[in-house]
Amino acid sequence: MNLRTLLLAALIPAAYAIELPVIADATLRTTQPASNFGALPQLQVDATSRALLRFDTSALPQGASAAPAAKVTLRFFVNRVLTPGMLFISTVTQPWQENTITHATGPSPLPAHLAIPITEANTWYSADLTPYLASALSPPVSSTLDLLIYSDNTLAAFLDSKENTATSQPALLAVVLAGPKGPPGATGATGATGATGAQGARGFTGAQGPQGNPGPAGPSSLNGLTYYSTATSSLDGGFRWTRTRFCPSTHPVLLTGGCGHRDNNDASRDITVNYSGPNPDAPTSSWLCLMTNTGGDHRAVRASILCSK
């Protein structure tokens, strides 16, 4: 329990609030089911990505006489919104670790407690989870509480994680504890109604202040977030061709790639794609193409890659 919590407990015994920090968070991507993204500075929530949050509840009082939770509010910061939509929140009971959790080992979405419309970027959002978490955060309380955040398949947004040192705006749970109810006081006598005073003069309307400068426009599309590159080569007849395409350092995350004949004509029937997929030696940052020219003449083949930040 930190100093702020101790002071609140000592000075305001009737009701006080405790902020529970996030101690683990991670993104789960269906497009990269075996990869861990626990160290990224932002949590991705879209049609193929979900986010996990873990909060430290050890600061909450324990014991039969401890105050129960009267209000529970989740606060999180939305850094970017690519496509507005609904964000769903549910609890998670399956154990997980930030540095090892992947989509393949992650929990399945449970029935959502709450749905929140997300439309604006660079903004704090609050979600009242009192009906769903007040009981879980009242004595006896486990040492942690986990939440799963996911999209309605329309929303595409990025939330600040605890690793985002640029803004330091990780999610938090604010828990207001209710103290014991005191005995009702005696009802006082009703006082005499005083005379109505004269209405005062209306004050002057103040001058309108100057309009502030407009802030910078946020991103409205995926421009700049993705990188596409393609390369064409000549494959001799009867030969097998191997080509690896790599994501650049500016866009290090592999999204997809492709291999095949360059042109849509009869010559494409001579080209057999033996393998087209993530490079096993670097599956998150490069694409491997294996093709064979079964004909006798050389053919133009192509390998492409799509990466993101």
Side-chain angles (χ1 to χ4, degrees):
M1 185 178 295
N2 56 37
L3 179 59
R4 179 183 177 188
T5 302
L6 290 172
L7 289 175
L8 284 170
L11 299 178
I12 314 175
Y16 59 97
I18 297 178
E19 291 183 353
L20 307 180
V22 62
I23 57 174
D25 50 22
T27 295
L28 310 179
R29 292 179 180 168
T30 60
T31 56
Q32 295 169 273
S35 299
N36 172 260
F37 301 101
L40 294 183
Q42 294 182 354
L43 301 170
Q44 187 172 350
V45 180
D46 54 31
T48 61
S49 303
R50 299 174 288 147
L52 280 170
L53 300 173
R54 171 169 292 163
F55 296 91
D56 180 8
T57 61
S58 61
L60 294 175
Q62 297 284 357
S65 61
K71 187 175 181 62
V72 181
T73 304
L74 171 67
R75 299 189 69 236
F76 55 93
F77 188 84
V78 176
N79 190 294
R80 288 183 290 161
V81 176
L82 305 182
T83 306
M86 301 298 293
L87 180 145
F88 297 107
I89 303 172
S90 68
T91 50
V92 173
T93 57
Q94 177 179 330
W96 58 278
Q97 297 297 323
E98 183 184 66
N99 61 348
T100 59
I101 186 70
T102 66
H103 170 76
T105 61
S108 300
L110 299 175
H113 293 324
L114 198 64
I116 303 176
I118 304 297
T119 58
E120 297 183 23
N122 198 32
T123 301
W124 280 100
Y125 284 79
S126 296
D128 185 0
L129 297 176
T130 306
Y132 318 104
L133 298 182
S135 177
L137 296 177
S138 297
V141 183
S142 61
S143 59
T144 59
L145 183 138
D146 297 344
L147 296 178
L148 180 68
I149 296 179
Y150 53 100
S151 165
D152 63 346
N153 294 331
T154 298
L155 174 68
F158 292 85
L159 283 60
D160 276 5
S161 76
K162 67 180 180 62
E163 283 81 12
N164 194 334
T165 57
T167 55
S168 298
Q169 297 171 144
L172 60 88
L173 269 181
V175 182
V176 176
L177 303 178
K181 183 178 179 180
T187 302
T190 302
T193 302
T196 303
Q199 181 175 349
R202 182 176 181 179
F204 295 103
T205 301
Q208 181 175 349
Q211 181 175 350
N213 295 327
S220 59
S221 69
L222 293 176
N223 289 339
L225 297 180
T226 58
Y227 165 87
Y228 174 75
S229 176
T230 184
T232 301
S233 299
S234 179
L235 179 56
D236 292 336
F239 280 85
R240 186 182 182 188
W241 181 81
T242 301
R243 172 62 63 87
T244 303
R245 303 288 292 160
F246 293 91
C247 292
S249 60
T250 58
H251 297 72
V253 180
L254 173 67
L255 295 178
T256 187
C259 313
H261 190 261
R262 183 193 63 185
D263 306 312
N264 184 17
N265 55 31
D266 292 342
S268 62
R269 290 179 295 183
D270 293 339
I271 300 302
T272 299
V273 178
N274 306 110
Y275 177 79
S276 176
N279 180 7
D281 294 332
T284 63
S285 61
S286 62
W287 190 268
L288 177 63
C289 294
L290 300 178
M291 290 183 283
T292 302
N293 184 353
T294 61
D297 298 324
H298 64 271
R299 300 300 183 199
V301 293
R302 176 174 292 166
S304 59
I305 192 170
L306 180 65
C307 309
S308 71
K309 290 185 175 181

